[in-house]
Amino acid sequence: MRLRRCGTDAVLVEVDSPDEVEAVRAAVRAAALPEVVELVPAARTVLITTRPGGLPAVRRVLAAVDPTHRPPAPSRTAEVPVVYDGPDLALVAETAGISPAEVVRLHTGATYSVAFCGFAPGFAYLTGLPGPLRQPRLESPRTSVPAGSVGVAGEYTAAYPRSTPGGWRLIGRTDAPLFDPRRDVPALLAPGDRVRFRAVP
Amino acid sequence: MTGRSVTVLRTGPQALVQDLGRPGYAHLGVPPSGALDAPSLRLANRLAGNPEDAACLEVLLGGLALRAGCSCTAAVAGPATPLLVNGVARDSPTHLAPGDELVLGTPVAGLRAYLALSGGVALPAELGSRATDLLSGLGPAPLAAGDVLPLGVPTGVPTGADVLPPVRVPDELVLPVVTGPRDDWFDDAVAQLRAGRWEVSERSNRVGVRLRGTALLRTAARQGCELPSEGLVTGAVQVPAAGRPVVFLADHPTTGGYPVVGVVPPDALPALGQARPGTRVRFRPHG
């Protein structure tokens, strides 16, 4: 675990794996420091932003964190219903050397974790994707991916909360309310949550 | 008419609702947003008798005209900006009677004036803020002619101000920058930042100020390397592959995949929000 300076009121914690990212995020979250303004996990880092003068308290918490210690499983598991009729379902099946039905079986059979959010409000990068579904992005991204699209890219799977450009391979769509800024809990999926996909007609 | 409101008659290049933004949701991919020149927004609110965090209008290069639908106080802060009511110049803060027409002229220097109206703009909040976030589309749409903006109930007394010093906008900005978190991707980052010379590009906006000028060079070992996306703070000086830095402002993405060579501290950012394209920029790095 390495601490990197990030301006006057933030520190970037760098670790070696998504599991360590989650361990650091969960430990800082559990400390519930009033000084912390933002706690932002990403692929291999956790960014912690504080009110002015809040960094010493954060450093004290970090000094006691064991990033190899797996935090207790979260209580929140979200289930996302998906119609598996995406425009790239056949491509994903062909690339994996399996049938489209097998792609659906693999994608619905796994339990995922929200590693981090980014790109757009409520866009959650989910880890736990079965090996055959870990595939490259499209060679040329779509200028517009419809809201609710479910796709895969590299080690991640995700659902698009709203229409944006995007290069993920799309295997289905969901009508789950992924992000609504007027709700008390605006995002359906937040870092640390568990997620399962369920096939619906 | 029962509700308090003003009606937008026309806008200049851009007029937005802004307050102090919605920090605390970056982990969901939500930018902080909020006024680029927050001290000016706070001042405009104090002058109008509002809490400092009330929603105001952030007006880019003037050109805004409003008609008051009720009796209210209007206060302008930021760079020196002409304020006219029914065609007559007024000092700020000023009183508007129902039917009065307020026009904000173009600031003599700088970019953004802040117009506070007593009671504050009372459009619905999203994630605790009424700020328009141009990156993610949260908050009210940019203002357009015909919009009716509801105002809240005034809670305080307008401050009588005799002389209001406008924000000074220099021709050259010298920005302090704290190096890191990825200064080690660059050959002697402190020396490169100190020696470089830049100008604010016209491609700058509320997401970030793009700089034209010296390209920052990576170390040989980092040529062509990719950085996994990581969290970004406001003020981060990100260096894309071509080497020309971008300083992120309030509507910045919450994560990014290019190395951040340093961070401009919060108190130096309002001046960047007022820097017109062509403004010369230097960095004063703290290693």
Side-chain angles (χ1 to χ4, degrees):
Chain A
M1 188 166 82
R2 291 162 300 282
L3 305 191
R4 288 177 173 269
R5 184 168 66 174
C6 191
T8 51
D9 304 313
V11 61
L12 187 73
V13 184
E14 192 175 31
V15 293
D16 295 322
S17 70
D19 282 350
E20 293 189 11
V21 168
E22 175 54 15
V24 171
R25 185 202 69 82
V28 175
R29 174 84 197 267
L33 296 172
E35 292 90 346
V36 171
V37 177
E38 305 279 12
L39 175 57
V40 189
R44 295 291 182 273
T45 56
V46 180
L47 173 69
I48 305 156
T49 306
T50 71
R51 296 181 213 292
L55 278 183
V58 170
R59 287 179 186 279
R60 279 194 294 278
V61 169
L62 289 172
V65 171
D66 174 5
T68 62
H69 178 74
R70 191 91 185 110
S75 53
R76 206 163 96 143
T77 298
E79 194 181 73
V80 178
V82 177
V83 181
Y84 283 94
D85 62 356
D88 304 319
L89 183 61
L91 171 66
V92 169
E94 188 187 310
T95 306
I98 57 180
S99 69
E102 190 70 1
V103 170
V104 175
R105 198 188 63 75
L106 284 173
H107 197 254
T108 54
T111 299
Y112 303 89
S113 298
V114 179
F116 56 94
C117 298
F119 177 60
F123 189 102
Y125 290 76
L126 308 180
T127 51
L129 192 64
L133 304 185
R134 297 183 184 188
Q135 299 187 5
R137 286 160 202 255
L138 297 172
E139 281 184 19
S140 82
R142 292 184 169 86
T143 53
S144 175
V145 172
S149 296
V150 174
V152 295
E155 61 181 308
Y156 302 112
T157 184
Y160 284 71
R162 58 195 172 91
S163 179
T164 52
W168 293 40
R169 295 185 176 193
L170 306 180
I171 58 175
R173 59 194 155 90
T174 180
D175 60 2
L178 295 163
F179 189 80
D180 179 350
R182 302 208 178 165
R183 269 195 325 238
D184 282 347
V185 180
L188 180 67
L189 309 176
D193 288 351
R194 295 286 191 270
V195 185
R196 290 187 64 89
F197 294 100
R198 178 168 54 88
V200 294
Chain B
M1 170 161 196
T2 52
R4 290 165 48 80
S5 68
V6 295
T7 300
V8 178
L9 302 178
R10 58 181 184 276
T11 69
Q14 183 184 77
L16 306 174
V17 178
Q18 290 297 337
D19 54 20
L20 296 180
R22 47 182 74 82
Y25 296 97
H27 62 294
L28 301 180
V30 176
S33 195
L36 293 195
D37 182 354
S40 291
L41 175 130
R42 291 174 187 269
L43 174 60
N45 272 325
R46 290 198 301 272
L47 292 169
N50 291 340
E52 283 194 330
D53 61 354
C56 292
L57 303 183
E58 182 180 88
V59 183
L60 180 74
L61 292 171
L64 176 74
L66 300 175
R67 187 189 305 114
C70 61
S71 172
C72 60
T73 301
V76 182
T81 302
L83 166 64
L84 292 89
V85 177
N86 301 329
V88 178
R90 293 251 188 110
D91 288 330
S92 175
T94 190
H95 176 259
L96 301 180
D100 279 354
E101 281 190 23
L102 174 152
V103 171
L104 270 192
T106 306
V108 294
L111 291 176
R112 293 175 170 92
Y114 292 84
L115 171 66
L117 297 159
S118 54
V121 177
L123 289 167
E126 293 187 343
L127 301 176
S129 166
R130 297 175 172 86
T132 298
D133 173 349
L134 293 177
L135 182 76
S136 68
L138 295 177
L143 299 189
D147 287 352
V148 177
L149 304 176
L151 301 182
V153 177
T155 53
V157 179
T159 311
D162 291 319
V163 178
L164 193 61
V167 166
R168 270 190 60 246
V169 183
D171 296 332
E172 180 179 56
L173 282 178
V174 181
L175 296 173
V177 59
V178 179
T179 53
R182 299 290 173 188
D183 49 319
D184 56 341
W185 280 52
F186 299 88
D187 265 328
D188 198 346
V190 168
Q192 287 201 65
L193 284 165
R194 185 171 289 134
R197 294 292 181 272
W198 293 274
E199 276 186 6
V200 172
S201 153
E202 44 290 304
R203 291 168 63 224
S204 303
N205 54 31
R206 285 184 43 87
V207 173
V209 167
R210 290 170 184 276
L211 299 178
R212 216 175 25 220
T214 310
L216 296 174
L217 303 176
R218 290 187 187 181
T219 62
R222 295 293 190 182
Q223 304 283 349
C225 280
E226 287 202 27
L227 180 72
S229 283
E230 59 192 27
L232 288 171
V233 296
T234 307
V237 182
Q238 193 192 54
V239 186
R244 269 84 191 185
V246 179
V247 186
F248 279 121
L249 302 180
D251 290 357
H252 67 81
T254 55
T255 59
Y258 292 110
V260 169
V261 67
V263 178
V264 177
D267 56 4
L269 294 175
L272 259 185
Q274 296 291 3
R276 287 187 179 182
T279 302
R280 285 173 286 131
V281 173
R282 285 191 290 137
F283 287 110
R284 196 177 67 233
H286 300 267

